[in-house]
């Protein structure tokens, strides 16, 4: 697949854009093109070290960069600056492709180095290797013109396939690192709050704003898990009580906290996990059905008592508490439990008065003090949700690693030097969607 803004404008018309518009165009290419299930995404950037490059680095999980240059001194200078920028930002450089390295004389076939041999000096200086060198010849020039018209010529196809083969032999492309960062330890966010406070809705909004809802579950960067999947199996007598609304599902003992801890620990280790699916109508876990959670960058774990168990609580990198008043919560819970969970009014109200309300006061509400961010009014609080989404975007871009300080410092220097800040710094996070990463 190929996509370019050139395909969207009238042939021959100039593109007169300021930096900001270029960045918006990039956002659209990244997030609004249907890229299907591709193995490689190759982004052809302009030369240099401008906003385009920074926007890409900050918004895409990049395996590595291929530098392309001709051997002229001016081109090599620009390439060197680019290489230094990528190194500073810990983006691995896969290697360099040298174009127009020589000219082959059509009469005597002598290979003439028109522009000298400074490319070798450059690759030595920056400690990378030359992946391919291409002579300047008529058939390549002709092929490039044909490619421009979207008809790939043989020489160009050979070029791409050979280079891709070399690159996929290269360990950088097979590594789990993205933007030079170990990619698989997710940022774990706990979302607590009373029943029907809007925890799931807040998580849903976050996922929507990050463009994750439409993304295939295997490719999601952000996933959400409910604590309700970890209700323990009940004995037959407990089920009988539950059916009369006489079982306390709001007490910590109703949960399998060991399974919660083990599952979250596996998730933090970058493993794929399978979690049970809870059936509220039968007060039990669905038989022979599990939900597979694939490794992601950010994991939201929501539930009434997610901050109650100290061993679980300490696993979270960030803790949110959805604080919605009790009347609103009860008003939401009654229709929900009747419509979605198959209960009758008496049962809902008895359970609420006997168990839900007292347990909220005893076990859930006191965990508010552990929260880093309290979200009054839940999903109605657009400002809080936007701030959290912005923070998650920054995490996705700058996740801490051994080199984090170095990387952050380099990025901030570059950003300060740049006339336009990054989209996230400007608060332009409205363009939904995070680019899917190839797991
Ligand atoms: N801001 C809101 N405005 C109106 N209804 C809401 C709002 N937030 C949640 N709800 C509704 O309230 C019910 C409970 O919300 P939910 O997000 O499932 O809460 P929780 O996950 O905390 O139990 C759902 O039916 C949901 O659609
Ligand atoms: N069989 C069950 C299991 C749980 N509940 C109630 O669900 C509430 C937790 O889910 P929220 O989406 O509201 O956070 C909790 O208050 C339990 O009372 C239930 O009624 N039946």
């Amino acid at each position: 697949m190929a996509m370019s803004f050139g395909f969207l404008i009238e042939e021959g018309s100039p593109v007169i854009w300021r930096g900001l518009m270029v960045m918006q165009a990039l956002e659209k290419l990244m997030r609004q093109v249907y890229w299907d299930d591709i193995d490689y995404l190759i982004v052809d950037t302009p030369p240099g070290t401008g906003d385009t490059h920074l926007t890409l680095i900050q918004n895409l999980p990049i395996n590595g960069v291929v530098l392309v240059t001709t051997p002229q001194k001016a081109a090599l200078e620009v390439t060197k600056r680019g290489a230094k920028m990528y190194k500073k930002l810990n983006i691995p450089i896969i290697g360099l492709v040298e174009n127009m390295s020589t000219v082959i004389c059509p009469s005597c076939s002598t290979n003439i180095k028109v522009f000298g041999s400074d490319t070798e000096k450059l690759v030595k200086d920056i400690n990378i290797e030359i992946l391919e060198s291409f002579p300047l010849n008529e058939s390549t020039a002709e092929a490039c013109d044909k490619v421009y018209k979207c008809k790939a010529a043989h020489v160009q196809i050979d070029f791409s396939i050979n280079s891709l083969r070399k690159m996929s032999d290269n360990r950088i492309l097979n590594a789990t690192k993205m933007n030079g960062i170990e990619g698989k330890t997710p940022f774990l966010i706990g979302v607590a709050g009373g029943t029907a406070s809007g925890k799931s809705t807040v998580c849903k909004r976050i996922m929507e704003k990050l463009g994750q809802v439409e993304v295939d579950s295997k490719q999601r960067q952000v996933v959400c898990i409910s604590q309700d999947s970890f209700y323990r199996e009940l004995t037959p007598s407990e089920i009988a009580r539950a059916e009369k609304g006489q079982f306390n599902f709001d007490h910590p003992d109703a949960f399998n906290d060991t399974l919660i801890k083990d599952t979250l620990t596996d998730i933090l280790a970058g493993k794929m996990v399978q979690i049970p699916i809870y059936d509220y109508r039968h007060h039990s876990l669905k038989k022979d059905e599990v939900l597979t959670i694939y490794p992601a960058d950010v994991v939201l774990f929501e539930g009434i008592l997610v901050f109650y168990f100290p061993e679980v609580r300490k696993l979270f990198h960030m803790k949110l508490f959805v604080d919605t008043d009790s009347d609103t919560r009860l008003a939401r819970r009654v229709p929900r439990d009747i419509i979605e969970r198959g209960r009758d009014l008496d049962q809902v109200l008895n359970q609420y008065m006997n168990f839900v309300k007292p347990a909220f006061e005893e076990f859930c509400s006191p965990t508010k003090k552990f929260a880093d961010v309290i979200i009054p009014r839940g999903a109605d609080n657009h400002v809080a949700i936007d701030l959290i989404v912005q923070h998650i975007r920054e995490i996705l871009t700058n996740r801490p690693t051994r080199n984090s300080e170095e990387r952050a410092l380099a990025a901030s220097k570059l950003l300060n030097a740049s006339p336009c800040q990054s989209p996230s710094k400007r608060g332009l996070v409205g363009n939904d969607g995070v680019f899917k990463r190839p797991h």
Side-chain angles (χ1 to χ4, degrees):
M1 295 174 71
M3 185 58 201
S4 161
F5 246 80
F7 299 162
L8 306 178
I9 53 174
E10 239 173 71
E11 209 173 320
S13 62
V15 180
I16 307 166
W17 281 350
R18 288 187 188 282
L20 195 61
M21 289 160 86
V22 175
M23 272 141 61
Q24 278 174 351
L26 265 177
E27 284 277 322
K28 286 193 180 2
L29 289 177
M30 286 188 277
R31 309 195 197 293
Q32 291 176 19
V33 171
Y34 178 66
W35 286 109
D36 210 346
D37 196 11
I38 50 174
D39 294 320
Y40 298 99
L41 178 74
I42 301 170
V43 186
D44 181 5
T45 66
T49 55
D51 287 333
T52 307
H53 310 86
L54 279 175
T55 305
L56 285 170
I57 292 168
Q58 292 196 313
N59 288 287
L60 284 186
I62 297 169
N63 286 93
V65 166
V66 178
L67 303 170
V68 182
T69 185
T70 57
Q72 286 126 303
K73 279 202 163 57
L76 289 172
E77 260 311 305
V78 175
T79 308
K80 192 174 183 176
R81 276 201 293 273
K84 283 190 173 168
M85 175 188 76
Y86 291 119
K87 288 204 161 186
K88 267 190 183 174
L89 296 176
N90 286 327
I91 308 291
I93 299 175
I94 296 167
L96 181 139
V97 173
E98 186 190 35
N99 197 12
M100 305 184 198
S101 52
T102 55
V103 179
I104 302 167
C105 170
S107 4
C108 66
S109 297
T110 312
N111 226 346
I112 309 160
K113 287 199 168 191
V114 185
F115 301 119
S117 318
D118 284 353
T119 312
E120 272 121 62
K121 188 177 172 308
L122 173 78
V123 292
K124 253 195 193 151
D125 281 358
I126 53 179
N127 195 23
I128 57 169
E129 60 171 313
I130 297 182
L131 296 170
E132 297 274 1
S133 287
F134 297 98
L136 171 60
N137 67 31
E138 229 178 325
S139 60
T140 308
E142 200 184 315
C144 290
D145 285 345
K146 283 190 180 159
V147 166
Y148 170 68
K149 298 277 181 200
C150 253
K151 265 186 164 183
H154 282 308
V155 60
Q156 206 66 19
I157 289 173
D158 289 346
F159 164 86
S160 325
I161 291 176
N162 285 338
S163 303
L164 270 179
R165 268 200 202 114
K166 271 197 184 179
M167 289 176 210
S168 44
D169 288 345
N170 184 312
R171 64 191 162 77
I172 293 172
L173 275 191
N174 295 321
T176 57
K177 283 187 172 185
M178 293 291 175
N179 295 1
I181 293 170
E182 285 298 344
K184 296 288 170 69
T185 298
F187 189 82
L188 187 59
I189 304 177
V191 184
T195 181
S197 55
K199 301 179 293 296
S200 327
T201 312
V202 164
C203 293
K204 196 165 158 241
R205 291 279 175 283
I206 293 174
M207 303 268 297
E208 282 166 2
K209 282 184 181 275
L210 290 165
Q212 294 291 298
V213 179
E214 310 280 285
V215 178
D216 178 81
S217 62
K218 288 185 191 156
Q219 305 283 355
R220 279 192 185 145
Q221 273 192 304
V222 186
V223 295
C224 181
I225 301 172
S226 168
Q227 187 187 23
D228 294 356
S229 291
F230 299 89
Y231 271 116
R232 68 172 172 81
E233 288 286 13
L234 301 188
T235 62
S237 71
E238 285 174 327
I239 291 200
R241 275 168 43 212
E243 277 165 359
K244 290 186 236 152
Q246 289 168 5
F247 183 84
N248 192 348
F249 285 104
D250 295 73
H251 192 283
D253 288 349
F255 292 95
N256 184 344
D257 56 314
T258 312
L259 186 61
I260 298 178
K261 188 188 147 215
D262 292 347
T263 307
L264 293 183
T265 307
D266 279 351
I267 286 175
L268 286 170
K271 293 185 191 162
M272 182 180 88
V273 295
Q274 296 199 309
I275 60 166
I277 300 174
Y278 195 69
D279 177 355
Y280 296 96
R281 288 178 186 264
H282 299 100
H283 314 284
S284 61
L285 302 169
K286 289 195 177 169
K287 295 243 168 336
D288 309 321
E289 257 187 84
V290 285
L291 186 66
T292 303
I293 305 290
Y294 295 91
D297 294 310
V298 176
V299 176
L300 297 154
F301 186 61
E302 64 85 13
I304 50 174
L305 295 178
V306 297
F307 302 154
Y308 180 82
F309 309 103
E311 292 291 297
V312 172
R313 189 169 66 231
K314 70 178 186 204
L315 298 177
F316 296 116
H317 299 109
M318 188 205 252
K319 298 193 261 320
L320 312 177
F321 192 97
V322 182
D323 199 9
T324 305
D325 82 42
S326 316
D327 295 348
T328 308
R329 292 193 292 104
L330 178 59
R332 286 179 188 165
R333 176 158 167 144
V334 172
R336 181 195 69 184
D337 282 7
I338 293 171
I339 297 163
E340 292 171 26
R341 299 188 180 178
R343 314 284 164 86
D344 66 43
L345 184 62
D346 272 359
Q347 200 182 346
V348 177
L349 293 178
N350 283 335
Q351 187 189 351
Y352 190 85
M353 292 315 289
N354 293 331
F355 302 116
V356 181
K357 186 175 157 60
F360 171 76
E361 274 147 26
E362 187 175 352
F363 306 113
C364 176
S365 184
T367 66
K368 201 198 297 187
K369 64 174 174 281
F370 300 119
D372 304 306
V373 181
I374 295 169
I375 310 173
R377 306 180 306 286
D380 290 341
N381 195 330
H382 302 285
V383 174
I385 290 175
D386 281 348
L387 286 170
I388 292 161
V389 166
Q390 191 167 333
H391 189 69
I392 293 176
R393 277 187 185 277
E394 274 162 25
I395 288 157
L396 290 173
T397 320
N398 300 313
R399 291 195 305 165
T401 61
R402 282 188 302 262
N403 298 319
S404 63
E405 283 102 336
E406 197 188 321
R407 187 161 180 268
L409 188 71
S412 75
K413 275 187 191 158
L414 279 156
L415 285 169
N416 290 338
S418 154
C420 283
Q421 286 183 307
S422 76
S424 56
K425 291 258 159 129
R426 288 194 322 271
L428 281 181
V429 290
N431 264 345
D432 289 355
V434 170
F435 204 80
K436 66 184 185 182
R437 72 181 202 186
H439 277 298

